[in-house]
Every structure is written in C-alpha cells, then in structure tokens.
Amino acid sequence: MTTTAEGDLAQLHHRAPLVIDQSVLERWLNPNLSPSAIEEMTIPAEAEQFNWHPAPPEVGNNKVNHAGLITPYDGPAAAIQPSLF
C-alpha cells in the first residue's frame, strides 16, 4: 500500500510506502474497521524514516527477480525517462 510522499522523498516520486505504526498494528488488522478509522491510521511517514539509493535499471522489469534489486546500485546511471505529461 502507498500513500502521499512527504519531504525530500516527494522529489523522487509522488507515492511512498504506507508505514503502519507498531502502536496501531493490532487495530489495523481488525477486519471490522470503519473507513474513517482506517484513514486516521494512514498518515504519511516523514521522509527521514526511509533510506533510498540508486537502483539498477532492471528494477522496472517484472521478469527480473534477484537480491541485487534491493541493494545500492553503483553502476552507470540510467537515462531519465521524460515525463509523458
């Protein structure tokens, strides 16, 4: 699940992983929660909670799956894809 990216993270992408705080985890797992109760728990995490690094160009290929996809990448920079909008 994703939510709105905040701070410096928003410069990389408009979405960020949704972080569920440990203090509300049991409540989050309740299948009878109302939509408003769920919304209260989906506050975007601060960018400082994340670490980010360059990723290999093959990250976007759904046919590729290996541990190197989640480790820092120090190879040549991939070409920046221009905006389609």
Side-chain angles (χ1 to χ4, degrees), residues 33-44:
L33 276 179
S34 69
S36 61
I38 293 170
E39 191 173 342
E40 289 173 14
M41 292 185 276
T42 59
I43 299 168

Side-chain angles (χ1 to χ4, degrees), residues 3 11 41 47 57 65:
T3 187
Q11 294 176 17
M41 292 185 276
N65 185 16

Side-chain angles (χ1 to χ4, degrees), residues 8-76:
D8 290 340
L9 195 55
Q11 294 176 17
L12 299 175
H13 199 278
H14 66 280
R15 294 178 303 181
L18 178 62
V19 177
I20 305 300
D21 190 83
Q22 187 73 26
S23 67
V24 298
L25 188 56
E26 237 179 272
R27 187 171 168 224
W28 173 261
L29 296 173
N30 178 348
N32 300 314
L33 276 179
S34 69
S36 61
I38 293 170
E39 191 173 342
E40 289 173 14
M41 292 185 276
T42 59
I43 299 168
E46 294 183 18
E48 292 75 29
Q49 289 186 283
F50 297 96
N51 293 316
W52 56 86
H53 53 79
E58 62 208 10
V59 162
N61 183 341
N62 64 358
K63 295 178 182 176
V64 178
N65 185 16
H66 58 79
L69 298 176
I70 61 171
T71 58
Y73 176 70
D74 60 359

